Amino acid sequence: MLGGKAFHLQGEFLSRCVSRYRPFNKPEVVAVMADTLHKMSSKHLREKLSSWEAKLGSKAPLSDKQRDGCMELTSQSGARPLPIELPLEDFPTIAPQCITPSTSDDRTTRNISGLSLGAEKIETSQQFFAWFSEIEDKMESEEQTESRCFIKQLQVYQEQCTQVQQEVSNALHHLRELQGQYVFVSTKTNALHEACEHLLAEQTKLVNTAESIENKLSYFNELERISSKLGSPTLTVTNEAFVPMLSRLDECIAYLHANPQYKESQVYLARFKQCLSKALNLIKTHAVNILQNSTQQVLPKKDAPSPGDNAFTLFYGKFRTNAPRVKALMEQIEERIDKSPEYSQILTDCHQCYFLQRETLLGPSVTAAIADLASKHVRDHCALVRSGCAFMVHVCEDEYQLFFNFFSKPTSLLDNMLEGMCIQLYDVFRPLIIHINHLETLAELCSILKVEMMEEHVQHSPKELAAFEAVCSQMLEDVQERLVYRTHIYIRSEILGYNPAPGDLAYPEKLEMMESIAESIKQTKIQSRSRSGSNASTTSQEVASITGTAEDSIAPEDAPRENGLKPLTVRTDLPVPAPTIGSNMPMSPADLHGMWYPTVRRTLVCLSKLFRCIDKTTFQGLSQEALSMCIQSLLVASEGIKKRKTEVDAQLFLIKHLLILREQIAPFQVDFAVRETGVDFSSIKGAAYGLFQHKSRLFALNTTNALLQFLLEGTPQVTEHFVDSKKDVDNQLKKVCEEFIGHLSDSIVGSMQSFLSKADVILKMNTEEGAHKVSLRQQPFASPEKVHDIVTETYRHVKAKVPTTQKSMSLYLANKDTEYILFKPIKVNIQQSFQHLIKLISDNYSEEDVHIIGCPSVEQLNLLLTKPGS
């Protein structure tokens, strides 16, 4: 039993030793432990082991987790089987489960089982300890054997390491020797590289210098090569090598110009310029030959028939065929024109040659064509100008296109040539223009030149027609100047100096005749036109009737023109002014058939033509003069009508035509005010008179010198004043209307107004203080019988003249609004006169006298004045 416990304790001890020293299971550690155990005695060893687990001063304190592991190991080792050599019968009390070895102590069991007990049996603890001591000695000897073997092996390794270290030391020595040699070789190599680089740099420098010299000399060496090429008889400007040679020449000349410091550079420069001149002469000769050959091919032969209509096609076709052969060279010259003056000169020579050939070819043809047009339209100046200008437009456009088939850049010589051709047309037109007297022809020429040519053609092709524009502008200025001159003459002779025929002054017979004609026509029509229903402007319609109906029948195209003025068309697309007195006049028969006074018609037609032909400033001056002269002619005609008819007819005639003028000039939208500047010489007369009176002070040396006073006081004064024809028309219209109203008022209620004036004087005298009271009814002129005669006469005049006057106004003015506005003041004057008379009678006459006088009431008078047709 004791042996079993001892065995159990020994096994537990071994297990704990193994578990604690497992981390140190290395050969050197094991050797150290074996040597330490051998030196210690068993008792001392047990004391040491017991001190490991002492509560105080433990040498190997365990953590809780380690303690748990030891407890578990102890519990497992408690069921370890007994040694195989022990007889089971000696331990009857051992439980059967102790026989089966535990899996957790397999290693310890194997170690113990491996121990050889021999035939000796352990029965006491003394035997066990003895046996255990032997086992320990054996174990120590075995462990020391491994350590010795390990030490020997280590010694072998040490020798090998010493040998390796010696070899490494030898290798390092050789490497140091090699490094020294390498440094030596590297130093030599670097020195060699530096020397090579220096030599290469010197070589590159020399090569660059040689190339630079060669490049510089190449410009000088090109002289011989270029001279030989230019001297070759096979060289032509069409050769592919010619243009590169020309470029090389430019480079050489430019280089020598930029480096004049080189030796003999001026000599070479002069020789290069000689070569350039020679090359350019070859180009010029080539271009001139082509142009001259083209001209010779196109020029008609002496005996050859005229090419006729195909002439211009032939003239341009041949040149266009040869153009590509010249244009390529001209483009090269035009590109280099800024490099050298020789290029500019050769290009100018080519231009001159080209234009000379074109003038030689086209000059006679253009002259002949213009002469043919002049003979064809000898009596039709407008057709001549239109066809001639159209011809020159086509010539200019074709020449412009042909020029750019030869050249790429424009030149002023082209415009000069075309302008010379256009001058031929101007030379033909100029004599014709200055002899044209008809205003309508001059106006139409202005329209053709200004609208058809300048606006339609020139504005669409300003570059091609620049030369034609200059000549056309000159022709237009000449026509306008002639038009202004003839207009001045026309205004003076045909408007101001117009001598009216008896038929021109047949008013109101002409209007009555036209009204009767209109009434007869009206009866034959189903639909009638209401006089007050028309909203058209009378003036525009009247002008249209002048050009469209009346004058077409009166003055046809082939009929003789009256005083140089044939039927004209007035533009009716101008804006219509706002309605005023005389506007919105209906189409009366007189208006429809153009029954205006001739000077009015001529003035308006003349202004309508001038408005589109001349500038605004000139038009204002002419319109002011024309309107002033027209007003004067109307005043003269009004006096003639007054002499042969009545003053009312003269005034209505004047009102009618002034209204027409007023409305017709409004759409022109120009300022009719003209500033006139004059010199006033009136002060010279007084100054001269003073000079003669003070002859004695001619040489006085003071401020009273007579000569000095004459110079100061006799200086002419420059005066300026504005003349506004539109205001003149308004003022004249206002004056005539006031005269018309006053004349009719006097003719109707003149006797009554005379009586009222006298009665007012008597009544005024009665109101004065201290004056003798006089009864009005007792005055000879104011007796009831006399007043009755005045009232009767006035009432008779109202009944007779008011309807007649209204009919005349309707016949002349043909506008209800105008008639109402003009008649209203007359009506007011009549009403005021009767109201004044009624008040005077009621205040100064008895009831019996009132009955004797028999003055109508205001209601009766209003009824009379407002009757239909009145």
Side-chain angles (χ1 to χ4, degrees), residues 376-669:
K376 183 178 179 181
H377 304 287
V378 65
R379 297 183 60 85
D380 192 350
H381 297 149
C382 297
L384 175 60
V385 171
R386 182 179 284 108
S387 58
C389 290
F391 168 74
M392 290 310 305
V393 166
H394 289 299
V395 170
C396 292
E397 290 178 346
D398 292 339
E399 283 298 316
Y400 190 86
Q401 294 176 0
L402 181 63
F403 174 80
F404 282 96
N405 287 333
F406 283 87
F407 305 93
S408 300
K409 295 182 178 180
T411 177
S412 59
L413 297 177
L414 175 61
D415 293 334
N416 295 337
M417 184 198 75
L418 295 178
E419 189 172 351
M421 293 183 180
C422 295
I423 288 294
Q424 299 181 23
L425 182 66
Y426 177 77
D427 294 339
V428 174
F429 288 168
R430 170 69 179 173
L432 301 177
I433 291 172
I434 62 177
H435 289 92
I436 297 175
N437 295 327
H438 302 302
L439 297 183
E440 67 278 5
T441 303
L442 293 171
E444 188 173 356
L445 288 177
C446 285
S447 178
I448 293 172
L449 295 173
K450 185 176 181 180
V451 178
E452 296 182 14
M453 300 303 160
M454 300 291 288
E455 295 181 2
E456 294 182 3
H457 290 288
V458 175
Q459 289 185 1
H460 287 83
S461 302
K463 295 182 180 179
E464 293 87 339
L465 302 179
F468 174 76
E469 181 183 7
V471 177
C472 187
S473 300
Q474 185 62 42
M475 287 193 294
L476 178 60
E477 291 175 1
D478 293 342
V479 174
Q480 289 175 339
E481 182 180 359
R482 181 65 178 176
L483 178 61
V484 172
Y485 171 72
R486 291 303 305 172
T487 302
H488 277 292
I489 296 177
Y490 181 79
I491 291 172
R492 294 286 179 179
S493 61
E494 303 301 328
I495 296 179
L496 179 63
Y498 177 72
N499 187 17
D504 296 331
L505 303 179
Y507 284 88
E509 290 84 357
K510 293 172 65 175
L511 301 179
E512 291 172 351
M513 179 186 66
M514 297 307 299
E515 187 175 19
S516 63
I517 293 174
E519 289 294 333
S520 63
I521 295 175
K522 183 179 178 180
Q523 293 176 1
T524 61
K525 293 183 179 180
I526 299 175
Q527 296 180 351
S528 62
R529 180 178 299 175
S530 176
R531 187 178 65 177
S532 60
S534 174
N535 292 324
S537 174
T538 298
T539 55
S540 298
Q541 294 169 355
E542 286 174 343
V543 174
S545 68
I546 290 175
T547 58
T549 58
E551 295 208 6
D552 286 345
S553 60
I554 294 173
E557 183 68 24
D558 297 333
R561 299 182 179 94
E562 180 184 5
N563 298 318
L565 182 66
K566 70 177 184 181
L568 299 179
T569 302
V570 179
R571 293 182 63 92
T572 59
D573 58 348
L574 297 174
V576 179
T580 56
I581 297 178
S583 63
N584 293 330
M585 295 171 63
M587 289 295 293
S588 69
D591 292 335
L592 182 63
H593 292 86
M595 301 303 292
W596 294 351
Y597 188 66
T599 58
V600 175
R601 182 170 63 249
R602 292 175 182 178
T603 300
L604 295 177
V605 171
C606 180
L607 292 181
S608 66
K609 283 296 182 182
L610 292 175
F611 183 70
R612 299 296 180 181
C613 296
I614 59 179
D615 60 279
K616 186 177 180 180
T617 304
T618 307
F619 175 78
Q620 289 176 354
L622 288 176
S623 62
Q624 186 273 331
E625 183 180 0
L627 290 175
S628 298
M629 301 304 174
C630 183
I631 292 173
Q632 295 182 28
S633 68
L634 288 176
L635 293 174
V636 173
S638 176
E639 292 295 328
I641 294 173
K642 180 180 178 181
K643 291 178 181 179
R644 66 176 299 273
K645 294 299 289 184
T646 63
E647 187 175 356
V648 173
D649 289 320
Q651 291 170 341
L652 287 175
F653 165 83
L654 194 55
I655 291 172
K656 171 185 174 65
H657 288 90
L658 288 175
L659 286 173
I660 292 173
L661 282 177
R662 185 175 184 271
E663 183 178 6
Q664 186 64 17
I665 65 176
F668 289 111
Q669 296 181 351

Side-chain angles (χ1 to χ4, degrees), residues 682-701:
S682 60
S683 59
I684 297 179
K685 180 179 179 181
Y689 182 74
L691 179 65
F692 284 106
Q693 282 185 340
H694 303 87
K695 292 182 179 180
S696 61
R697 291 185 295 177
L698 284 175
F699 302 102
L701 300 177

Side-chain angles (χ1 to χ4, degrees), residues 239-364:
N239 194 335
E240 294 180 356
F242 185 80
V243 174
M245 181 191 68
L246 199 62
S247 300
R248 186 59 179 170
L249 262 175
D250 294 335
E251 294 176 1
C252 294
I253 293 174
Y255 183 80
L256 292 177
H257 271 298
N259 299 278
Q261 71 276 11
Y262 293 156
K263 187 177 181 180
E264 298 183 357
S265 60
Q266 299 300 323
V267 177
Y268 277 87
L269 180 61
R271 297 181 64 182
F272 273 123
K273 287 186 176 181
Q274 291 178 358
C275 294
L276 179 62
S277 299
K278 188 174 182 180
L280 295 179
N281 286 330
L282 291 176
I283 297 176
K284 176 182 175 181
T285 303
H286 176 74
V288 169
N289 290 335
I290 291 177
L291 293 173
Q292 290 178 349
N293 292 335
S294 300
T295 304
Q296 294 300 324
Q297 292 176 5
V298 175
L299 280 176
K301 307 300 181 181
K302 293 183 178 179
D303 300 333
S306 177
D309 297 336
N310 297 327
F312 282 94
T313 303
L314 183 63
F315 292 165
Y316 290 98
K318 289 291 184 181
F319 273 79
R320 284 176 180 152
T321 303
N322 296 323
R325 300 166 57 189
V326 178
K327 187 174 183 180
L329 296 174
M330 294 300 104
E331 286 178 347
Q332 296 296 329
I333 295 177
E334 289 170 344
E335 290 176 358
R336 297 172 170 83
I337 195 171
D338 297 329
K339 295 182 178 180
S340 176
E342 287 82 0
Y343 286 106
S344 178
Q345 182 61 39
I346 200 68
L347 182 62
T348 302
D349 294 341
C350 292
H351 283 163
Q352 291 176 350
C353 177
Y354 171 81
F355 292 124
L356 178 62
Q357 299 302 319
R358 294 306 298 171
E359 289 177 356
T360 303
L361 186 62
L362 287 180

Side-chain angles (χ1 to χ4, degrees), residues 2 5 74-75 83 111 130 193 260 286 458 494 578 584 674 736 802:
L2 182 58
K5 291 182 178 180
T74 302
S75 62
N111 292 334
H193 286 172
H286 176 74
V458 175
E494 303 301 328
N584 293 330
V674 178
V736 174
V802 168

